[in-house]
Amino acid sequence: MQMGVETSNAEGRRRVFVVDDDEITRVALQLMLHDEIETHELATPEEAFVRGVDWLKPDLVLLGASFFNQKGPALIGQLAVHFPDVRILIVCDKSDEATAAEGIKAGAHGVLIKPLTLETVRKKVDTILERGATAPIVRLRVPK
């Protein structure tokens, strides 16, 4: 067992694609997540589309803001078409918050703002994947 890995999280493994043109960011995110989550670092969205054929579909894509800037809001739709039910987080600098807001309007599920720390990345990913202590909220139906 790895140090700092929640047993409940390690049991329900999910797949994450880190798609960013910054190799340092890709490697950092992969290292932060790989103990608890199957994590693949990919240099382009096109590489993710090829890699995600059939059995290797991701549950979550961590998308670098630079790709969103280059390809626009349509990229979020392309990811959703290639990977039904995928969750998308945009990874950006604090100065790119406007870009991140556009991404959320286009259908992304949230944002990871740099500087990235182990605790904040794992917490955000666990929340978005509804893992461990961050289980989904069950809404009770009140009888009429």
Side-chain angles (χ1 to χ4, degrees), residues 17-28:
F17 281 5
V18 179
V19 183
D20 201 312
D21 61 357
D22 179 8
E23 184 177 8
I24 294 170
T25 299
R26 283 195 321 265
V27 170

Side-chain angles (χ1 to χ4, degrees), residues 2 8-9 12 41 43-44 46 49 64 69 78 85 91 106 111:
Q2 299 287 331
S8 62
N9 287 344
E41 55 168 300
T44 67
E46 293 75 22
F49 297 147
N69 282 333
Q78 290 173 337
D85 300 321
V91 181
V111 179

Side-chain angles (χ1 to χ4, degrees), residues 125-141:
V125 168
D126 284 347
T127 299
I128 208 79
L129 291 177
E130 299 175 340
R131 291 168 22 105
T134 56
I137 297 171
V138 178
R139 303 216 186 260
L140 299 176
R141 292 171 46 130

Side-chain angles (χ1 to χ4, degrees), residues 49-79:
F49 297 147
V50 170
R51 187 81 181 264
V53 174
D54 297 328
W55 62 273
L56 198 57
K57 296 202 182 305
D59 299 294
L60 172 64
V61 172
L62 302 179
L63 179 67
S66 60
F67 286 124
F68 185 81
N69 282 333
Q70 292 169 16
K71 300 179 183 285
L75 179 56
I76 302 296
Q78 290 173 337
L79 288 166

